[in-house]
């Protein structure tokens, strides 16, 4: 059967990454967290005191100094982000990165560099990608496109629990403000804004479990695989 590209886009803390990882595991597909890549760039710029509006230094860093990859953690089974060959997965999830990543994501040079790398990673297909512009920009020909959303208060509580589990305690109001700011920046940026692709299926995760989210996506994958199989049979019969 044909390997598919599964694009899962949507707002922060809707369960995109958790769902995407589970779907990839169920299908034995590769998983790529594109949002982590932008977080990795943000981390590098902050740690090296590179202003986001210094486009020459940002461009130089992207082409010469920033090397992003993923490494599978055998103990947890997670794909973890490596920045310049060092695992920085926990560092990129800090609130200070969440507060800055949308500002970095709007930089055209950053988006071009990350999209090109994402397209190379997914060229062989058989991949689940989650982000904000996968179904519209990175892989507009993806066979399965999901757009996830949820009420902002629910998303904030989920994010607060994730941070608390890592020892970072942030007031709920601060997280809500951060999410709303990121939503606005992501949805209004000129380059590859966050939007639902015309052929993406909407999935509101406000009142459903992760298991239900995964089942929803796998159902859409089954339909896409059946459609691809039927198309192949019809082509063979018409020859």
């Amino acid at each position: 059967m044909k390997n598919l590209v599964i694009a899962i886009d949507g707002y922060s803390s809707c369960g995109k990454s958790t769902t995407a990882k589970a779907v990839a595991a169920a299908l034995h597909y590769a998983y790529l967290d594109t949002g982590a890549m932008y977080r990795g760039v943000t981390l590098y710029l902050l740690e090296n005191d590179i202003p986001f509006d210094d486009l020459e230094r940002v461009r130089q860093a992207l082409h010469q100094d920033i090397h992003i990859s993923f490494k599978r953690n055998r103990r947890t089974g997670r794909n973890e982000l490596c920045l310049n060959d060092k695992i920085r997965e926990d560092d990129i999830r800090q609130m200070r990165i969440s507060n800055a990543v949308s500002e970095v994501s709007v930089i055209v040079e950053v988006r071009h560099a990350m999209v090109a790398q994402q397209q190379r990673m997914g060229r062989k297909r058989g991949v689940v990608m989650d982000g904000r512009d996968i179904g519209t920009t990175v892989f507009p020909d993806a066979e399965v496109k999901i757009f996830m959303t949820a009420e902002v208060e629910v998303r904030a509580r989920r994010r607060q629990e994730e941070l608390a589990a890592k020892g970072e305690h942030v007031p709920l109001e601060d997280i809500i403000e951060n999410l709303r700011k990121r939503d606005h920046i992501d949805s209004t940026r000129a380059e590859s804004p966050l939007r639902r692709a015309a052929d993406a299926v909407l999935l509101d995760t406000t009142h459903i479990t992760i298991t239900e989210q995964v089942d929803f996506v796998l159902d859409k994958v089954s339909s896409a695989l059946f459609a691809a199989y039927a198309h192949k049979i019809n082509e063979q019969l018409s020859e």
Side-chain angles (χ1 to χ4, degrees):
M1 291 295 292
K2 178 182 180 182
N3 282 335
L4 309 180
V5 171
I6 302 168
I8 302 180
D9 292 308
Y11 298 97
S12 300
S13 300
C14 288
K16 294 193 307 294
S17 296
T18 303
T19 298
K21 291 173 188 175
V23 169
L27 298 172
H28 301 289
Y29 275 19
Y31 164 68
L32 181 60
D33 180 356
T34 64
M37 298 173 70
Y38 290 99
R39 285 174 173 269
V41 174
T42 303
L43 178 64
Y44 181 89
L45 298 181
L46 289 175
E47 288 188 337
N48 289 274
D49 298 318
I50 299 177
F52 301 160
D53 58 356
D54 189 339
L55 297 184
E56 184 56 38
R57 291 184 66 189
V58 170
R59 191 179 298 112
Q60 179 181 338
L62 285 168
H63 295 294
Q64 298 180 20
D65 306 316
I66 298 176
H67 303 285
I68 290 176
S69 60
F70 289 90
K71 183 176 181 179
R72 185 173 180 80
N73 185 318
R74 294 181 179 179
R75 182 177 58 83
T76 64
R78 295 190 309 171
N79 277 345
E80 299 184 333
L81 180 126
C82 296
L83 176 61
N84 297 335
D85 297 321
K86 183 178 180 181
I87 293 177
R88 304 299 302 273
E89 184 67 26
D90 290 337
D91 296 327
I92 65 170
R93 304 299 173 182
Q94 295 172 355
M95 194 64 188
R96 70 184 185 111
I97 304 300
S98 296
N99 285 332
V101 65
S102 288
E103 296 179 52
V104 173
S105 297
V106 302
I107 302 172
V108 173
E109 288 81 359
V110 172
R111 296 212 71 82
H112 286 177
M114 295 301 101
V115 167
Q117 185 168 342
Q118 291 155 17
Q119 289 172 333
R120 286 195 297 271
M121 290 177 172
R123 189 172 296 153
K124 294 182 179 179
R125 311 186 81 79
V127 64
V128 183
M129 290 191 180
D130 74 87
R132 286 164 177 72
D133 62 348
I134 309 304
T136 55
T137 301
V138 183
F139 279 100
D141 63 340
E143 291 85 355
V144 177
K145 297 181 184 180
I146 308 293
F147 189 88
M148 294 176 63
T149 186
E151 294 175 4
V152 68
E153 290 81 5
V154 173
R155 293 159 52 202
R157 284 196 296 271
R158 292 171 180 170
R159 181 65 178 148
Q160 187 182 48
E161 290 172 0
E162 292 173 1
L163 291 169
K166 298 174 182 177
E168 190 173 358
H169 301 282
V170 182
L172 188 65
E173 295 75 16
D174 291 353
I175 299 176
I176 291 175
E177 181 181 355
N178 169 259
L179 290 176
R180 285 177 172 157
K181 176 183 176 182
R182 292 179 63 188
D183 291 348
H184 176 74
I185 294 174
D186 292 342
S187 301
T188 58
R189 66 184 178 225
E191 188 75 16
S192 303
L194 167 64
R195 62 182 175 84
R196 178 184 172 186
D199 53 347
V201 180
L202 183 66
L203 174 57
D204 189 327
T205 70
T206 302
H207 302 296
I208 65 174
T209 65
I210 291 296
T211 298
E212 290 171 324
Q213 294 171 204
V214 173
D215 288 344
F216 180 93
V217 177
L218 289 175
D219 180 66
K220 302 306 175 187
V221 172
S222 295
S223 297
L225 286 170
F226 180 80
Y229 178 73
H231 179 72
K232 183 177 182 180
I233 293 299
N234 288 333
E235 282 187 334
Q236 292 173 344
L237 292 175
S238 63
E239 290 178 354

